[in-house]
Each structure stands twice: as C-alpha cells, then as structure tokens.
Amino acid sequence: MKAVVSTQSTGGDEAMDEDEKKFLGMMPVGARYVCDEDYMMHQTTKEEWGWCRKDGSFSIPHCEHKDDYYKLEFRLHHGREKKLVDKQSGKTFGGLVQVREIKGDHMGEWQYGCNDGFNDNAAGAICRSLGFKHGAGMPVTKKMQSGSSGQFGWTHFHCKQDDTLPVSLDCEGTRYQDAMEEYGMKAKCFDFDKIAVKCFNHKVLTVEVELIMTTRSLTCAVKVAKKGMAMHVGQFENVSVVWKLDDEETELNHKYNKRKGYTVRARELNKMNFECITCEVYMGDTMLAMDEMCKDQED
C-alpha cells in the first residue's frame, strides 16, 4: 500500500474537489492511499483517505490480499422494543448487534457479539457502518431478545478511537470460539451478555442509566454529560422518567435527587408482583437511555 496524494492543512491541491479540500483543511496531515495489485482495501470513514489526528495518532486504510479479503455486515435486532424504531423513517436505531462475514461469494451466518471488553468507541464504529454518526452501548432487555436466535461469534471487541469503522486498525476483537479455547468458562457468554447499541447522529448529550437495588430503595441513577461536561438531568426541560413492570407502564411514587437520580421505596415495590422492572428516561418523546432489572438477574 502506498500514499499517492498528501497535503498539509495549510496547503491544497488543485486536482482535489471542494469536499476533499474542506476535509483536509481540518486535519494536520491527510493522504490518499491505493493498494498494490491483487490487494483490496479496508477503508476508513473517509474512504481511501488516511489522516493524522490533532493528538498525534492517525487513521489509515489497510490492504489485504484478495484471497483473504472479507467484509463485515451488521444489522440490529430490536425484537418487541418498538421505541428503538424511528416512527417517521421506520429505521431501527438500536438493539442487539448481529454481524456476518462476507468473503467472496460466501456469506456467513448471522452471529452475536459478547459484551466482554466492549466500549462505546466500538459501538460508534458499528453504528457508522449502519449509516449513523455516533453510537453507545445499551443494556439488553427481554423485549429486545424476543424473536432473536443465533450463536455468539465474537467477543472482546473494542476500539481505541471514536472516529473509526469496525475493520479499522484501531479496533480489535476475538472470535468467540478462540476465546473459549484459550480461557474456557471465563470467556463463556449468556443471552444477557449480548452486545446491544443505540445509534444517533447528534452527539450533544451522553446519558447513562443504571438501576441500583438496595434493601431500602430502587434507584434509577442517571448520569448526563453535555459535550464532555458532567451535568444532572434536572437541568434540562421536558425530561421525564417512565417505569415499566413486565413491559407495562406503571405509576410509581418516586423522588428525584440530582446526585442519585429517581428513587422508589422498596416497600412500595414489595407490594407488587413482577419479574422485571424498567426505567426509561425521556426528553420530550425521545428516549435518551434505559435500564432493566429482572429478579433472575438479581439472584
């Protein structure tokens, strides 16, 4: 592989179009790459372009012999979790991640990933391969798993940067079978260990929700960051929380504390018969994040 065109951010090239100039103008250094004969390219988010980041790291395409070259195809399975489907476009933007390997004319089976070692950078890489700009991991719910089938195919998938694709040199993963052979039961994954992501295009707010159970209370803990700055969810208008018991929306007497989140007394829940409880946090009609806790997981 070799770079055929390179440019500094202070200069330009008359042969480049305006989009290329605009892209390279934001980067310290950029270069267009080509593969040698009989090799095929794994591209970056800028196709055949590579670039240096401002922190000194870089992202470049890489080439593979055509006999070994493969593609990864992703899709999301939302099951009965209808809130993970955009009402206007009908496009699924969240759910369980399924992937299959395409090599030549052969298409592999759809497989799931195990969330051991998974991070939000990897979620972003998956979402970008689906046409979104950003992504984050999310908890697996029973509704999400409805109708799902298939085996684990990979694990320990993570990426160092949040501007890559899954086949980037900044991302690494291990085939599930290899991990099982090397680590045995320590690498074994179960249905609730499946990778699930939520994809979006505007990375303004980062919201994390976690259900925390104690003997006295259940707390829907909410962490919010706006452009990297920590905030509390009460600072935003039109924010609400929806509680569900076994997928049925339920009114619970909760209290909000900007340090803890939304808290329900345990004695109120003890009067109710349910298997799973879900906390969903909304801004208007948009679900920001959610978490689910089931009694079999507590045990």
Side-chain angles (χ1 to χ4, degrees), residues 114-154:
C114 175
N115 62 14
D116 283 353
F118 187 68
N119 62 5
D120 282 346
N121 289 348
I126 291 170
C127 289
R128 278 185 283 276
S129 72
L130 294 169
F132 297 91
K133 294 181 180 179
H134 307 286
M138 67 180 301
V140 177
T141 66
K142 285 193 173 182
K143 289 175 70 174
M144 199 185 294
Q145 295 196 65
S146 176
S148 66
S149 62
Q151 298 179 339
F152 285 104
W154 45 294

Side-chain angles (χ1 to χ4, degrees), residues 97-287:
V97 177
Q98 295 179 310
V99 61
R100 65 178 176 183
E101 187 175 300
I102 301 174
K103 193 171 183 179
D105 296 330
H106 175 72
M107 289 191 177
E109 298 291 329
W110 288 107
Q111 296 178 320
Y112 290 102
C114 175
N115 62 14
D116 283 353
F118 187 68
N119 62 5
D120 282 346
N121 289 348
I126 291 170
C127 289
R128 278 185 283 276
S129 72
L130 294 169
F132 297 91
K133 294 181 180 179
H134 307 286
M138 67 180 301
V140 177
T141 66
K142 285 193 173 182
K143 289 175 70 174
M144 199 185 294
Q145 295 196 65
S146 176
S148 66
S149 62
Q151 298 179 339
F152 285 104
W154 45 294
T155 186
H156 299 139
F157 179 54
H158 60 281
C159 300
K160 297 178 183 177
Q161 302 288 342
D162 193 22
D163 57 7
T164 64
L165 294 172
V167 293
S168 166
L169 295 174
D170 287 312
C171 299
E172 295 180 350
T174 304
R175 293 188 183 277
Y176 183 68
Q177 184 176 351
D178 293 341
M180 288 294 294
E181 290 177 358
E182 183 172 355
Y183 301 107
M185 289 301 294
K186 290 183 179 180
K188 188 172 180 58
C189 296
F190 302 90
D191 284 346
F192 54 84
D193 294 320
K194 291 176 180 175
I195 290 175
V197 301
K198 182 179 180 182
C199 302
F200 43 92
N201 289 319
H202 301 287
K203 195 173 183 180
V204 178
L205 291 180
T206 302
V207 183
E208 297 179 5
V209 171
E210 181 183 10
L211 284 170
I212 302 173
M213 188 72 180
T214 68
T215 55
R216 300 180 61 183
S217 65
L218 174 70
T219 299
C220 181
V222 184
K223 294 182 180 179
V224 181
K226 185 175 183 180
K227 295 183 179 179
M229 182 178 295
M231 308 180 75
H232 60 85
V233 72
Q235 293 179 254
F236 301 92
E237 297 181 358
N238 301 321
V239 173
S240 60
V241 61
V242 173
W243 299 94
K244 291 184 177 179
L245 301 180
D246 294 334
D247 299 334
E248 294 293 331
E249 190 170 329
T250 306
E251 289 289 337
L252 294 178
N253 183 23
H254 66 254
K255 291 184 178 181
Y256 172 72
N257 178 287
K258 67 180 182 181
R259 185 172 61 87
K260 294 182 178 180
Y262 302 91
T263 299
V264 179
R265 290 185 177 181
R267 65 185 182 185
E268 180 179 354
L269 294 173
N270 291 338
K271 300 175 184 178
M272 302 177 179
N273 184 25
F274 64 92
E275 291 298 320
C276 296
I277 184 169
T278 306
C279 173
E280 299 176 349
V281 178
Y282 287 82
M283 180 177 288
D285 295 329
T286 302
M287 185 175 68

Side-chain angles (χ1 to χ4, degrees), residues 7 13-27 32 45-47 49:
T7 181
D13 190 300
E14 296 299 327
M16 292 188 290
D17 61 32
E18 291 302 317
D19 289 340
E20 291 171 345
K21 290 179 181 178
K22 183 178 179 181
F23 160 61
L24 289 169
M26 297 184 292
M27 303 297 170
R32 177 183 285 156
T45 52
K46 299 298 181 182
E47 298 179 348
W49 282 93

